[in-house]
Amino acid sequence: MNTSTFSPSSILVTGGAGFIGSNFVRAWIEERPACRITVLDKLTYAGNLENLADLEGKYSFIKGDICDEETVRRALAEHEVDTVIHFAAESHVDRSILGPMVFTHTNVMGTHVMLEESRKHGVKRFVHVSTDEVYGSLGPEGSFTEQSPIDPTSPYAASKAASDLVVQSYIKTFDFPAMITRCSNNYGPWQFPEKLIPLMLTNAMNDRALPVYGDGMNVRDWIHTRDHSRAVMRVLEAGTPGEVYNVGSSNEWPNIDIVKLILKTLGKPESLITYVKDRPAHDRRYAIDSSKIERELGWKAEIGFDDGIAETIAWYQSKQDWLARVMSGEYMEYYDKQYSER
Ligand code: NAD
Ligand code: TYD
């Protein structure tokens, strides 16, 4: 196991006002209070400073676009950044089918700008937060390892795969000290209610139909976002530059079982379940082999699904105000476009 550790003095977190980014910022401030931390976020529909409200005064914030070279250059220089954790992205598969171009722009061009400006600035560590979706779809057996072929199916996954390749070119060409993490599906507090778990939760709480794609038997491997944050911290501090680390918690669920679990916990009837037209190119199954990060960096998921999902459901029940705010306006337009003709 690698015991040497890197200790950053000033980190820049892109996408820190989104779901996983805000959970990471909270965890980092709790665990590493002495380190300077700056969040760079464009505050798209998915980014919300309310996600960080309890941390005010403990981090610096820049509202800006990762595709804008000048913004990134100034953020790195003015905050004397030595370490970048790159979460910012367009992140929802269904939106990438409705409007793919912004995915390539933000995820590929934005990552390239982050890399180039970080290289010129002399950043010492760069963690690129990627996804297991770059590997495509699995059959009923096996799991993705870091050696699995890159075979994305959605415009979202393709844009993340392309960004991973740009990162790898910087590692090889410039000896740039980047590392890539590829994590499975996250759940937990502050997830925007367009993704499976919070969407089904909010619909069930409001007695609305729960739109299950296809036969409901697509399988996802769920990890609590706090476990993902711990993995990113571990990679940043103990990972080997140039390496890829898969992150997962061996917790596979067919979608329909998650939906039924949510209904049961909320005491709502299964008659709310509505099978709708499938997502195009819908990946059948994801499963992650995390043995490399477990063996080399001593990381392991710690939050059991029973506890994690119960805590998450209770959190959403207590956050009706936040939900009402993030679901107003743009979200309803998206919802109609996505679900009205299915
Ligand atoms: P999210 O959509 O909740 O948050 C994305 C954040 O990025 C938002 O705060 C948004 O405002 C910001 N952003 C978007 N475009 C930007 C731009 N041009 N400039 C600056 N900021 C911008 O996403 P998430 O679910 O928190 O995912 C974060 C990262 O983790 C993504 O890179 C995603 O690919 C990856 N990931 C997500 C999951 C998952 O299950 N959600 C799993 C594995 C990896
Ligand atoms: P999602 O949360 O969008 O994550 P991803 O597609 O990146 O894995 O979807 C998780 C699973 O839930 C996926 O198989 C698609 C399915 N799904 C539905 O059945 N209905 C829905 O309304 C949504 C949003 C997802």
Side-chain angles (χ1 to χ4, degrees):
M1 193 172 92
N2 187 358
T3 48
S4 67
T5 54
F6 168 76
S7 190
S9 63
S10 176
I11 67 170
L12 179 69
V13 182
T14 71
F19 162 49
I20 305 175
S22 63
N23 278 285
F24 175 85
V25 169
R26 184 166 295 100
W28 183 268
I29 288 171
E30 272 168 27
E31 305 255 338
R32 303 285 180 266
C35 181
R36 212 169 145 184
I37 174 166
T38 305
V39 171
L40 169 62
D41 200 296
K42 188 178 175 182
L43 300 181
T44 67
Y45 77 91
N48 190 342
L49 281 180
E50 209 180 324
N51 301 5
L52 298 168
D54 55 316
L55 303 171
E56 234 181 273
K58 297 181 177 163
Y59 71 99
S60 307
F61 181 73
I62 301 165
K63 182 175 186 304
D65 190 335
I66 55 165
C67 300
D68 183 53
E69 294 167 4
E70 182 58 27
T71 300
V72 175
R73 195 174 305 143
R74 284 183 49 191
L76 293 167
E78 285 173 13
H79 295 269
E80 297 169 322
V81 169
D82 62 1
T83 300
V84 172
I85 301 105
H86 178 39
F87 291 99
E90 288 294 335
S91 68
H92 189 36
V93 172
D94 291 325
R95 287 189 191 249
S96 83
I97 297 167
L98 288 174
M101 296 309 289
V102 68
F103 282 73
T104 303
H105 184 68
T106 296
N107 298 359
V108 187
M109 279 308 294
T111 299
H112 203 156
V113 169
M114 288 307 306
L115 286 166
E116 181 59 7
E117 293 307 323
S118 299
R119 177 176 82 88
K120 288 196 215 145
H121 177 75
V123 154
K124 296 201 183 98
R125 289 284 190 283
F126 186 108
V127 181
H128 175 61
V129 180
S130 190
T131 165
D132 61 356
E133 300 195 27
V134 301
Y135 297 123
S137 185
L138 285 169
E141 301 294 325
S143 51
F144 299 125
T145 71
E146 290 80 1
Q147 279 72 46
S148 298
I150 300 295
D151 187 21
T153 55
S154 70
Y156 161 66
S159 68
K160 292 296 290 188
S163 69
D164 286 16
L165 296 183
V166 184
V167 174
Q168 281 175 333
S169 79
Y170 269 59
I171 291 168
K172 289 179 185 152
T173 307
F174 303 113
D175 204 18
F176 183 69
M179 293 165 278
I180 297 174
T181 58
R182 295 192 180 130
C183 189
S184 59
N185 286 63
N186 282 222
Y187 71 97
W190 308 111
Q191 186 167 32
F192 194 80
E194 64 190 354
K195 305 275 169 59
L196 179 78
I197 289 180
L199 184 139
M200 296 299 171
L201 265 170
T202 37
N203 281 18
M205 287 191 292
N206 294 304
D207 298 308
R208 290 175 66 162
L210 308 196
V212 174
Y213 298 160
D215 63 2
M217 290 307 291
N218 298 66
V219 171
R220 296 294 183 263
D221 185 353
W222 294 96
I223 182 172
H224 196 286
T225 194
R226 280 203 302 276
D227 276 329
H228 184 191
S229 289
R230 282 182 37 254
V232 171
M233 285 178 70
R234 192 69 195 137
V235 167
L236 165 60
E237 295 181 332
T240 305
E243 291 293 310
V244 176
Y245 297 93
N246 281 355
V247 180
S249 69
S250 303
N251 176 43
E252 291 182 50
W253 284 75
N255 294 335
I256 190 65
D257 290 353
I258 295 261
V259 169
K260 287 184 178 167
L261 174 71
I262 289 171
L263 287 170
K264 193 167 166 222
T265 310
L266 292 176
K268 298 285 182 172
E270 289 192 5
S271 56
L272 286 174
I273 295 173
T274 313
Y275 288 92
V276 300
K277 193 167 150 225
D278 210 354
R279 175 190 277 175
H282 190 177
D283 289 339
R284 192 63 175 168
R285 177 171 163 260
Y286 301 145
I288 270 274
D289 176 343
S290 314
S291 51
K292 177 176 172 181
I293 188 171
E294 293 177 11
R295 188 179 60 249
E296 293 185 10
L297 306 186
W299 172 91
K300 206 171 174 27
E302 287 174 354
I303 303 176
F305 193 64
D306 289 352
D307 291 343
I309 195 73
E311 177 216 277
T312 303
I313 292 173
W315 187 90
Y316 276 88
Q317 285 179 299
S318 74
K319 285 284 174 189
Q320 304 284 344
D321 290 359
W322 176 80
L323 278 170
R325 277 191 292 277
V326 300
M327 287 167 67
S328 63
E330 194 275 349
Y331 179 76
M332 293 319 292
E333 266 171 49
Y334 161 76
Y335 198 92
D336 281 349
K337 246 193 249 161
Q338 174 64 14
Y339 294 100
S340 61
E341 287 178 19
R342 273 197 125 92

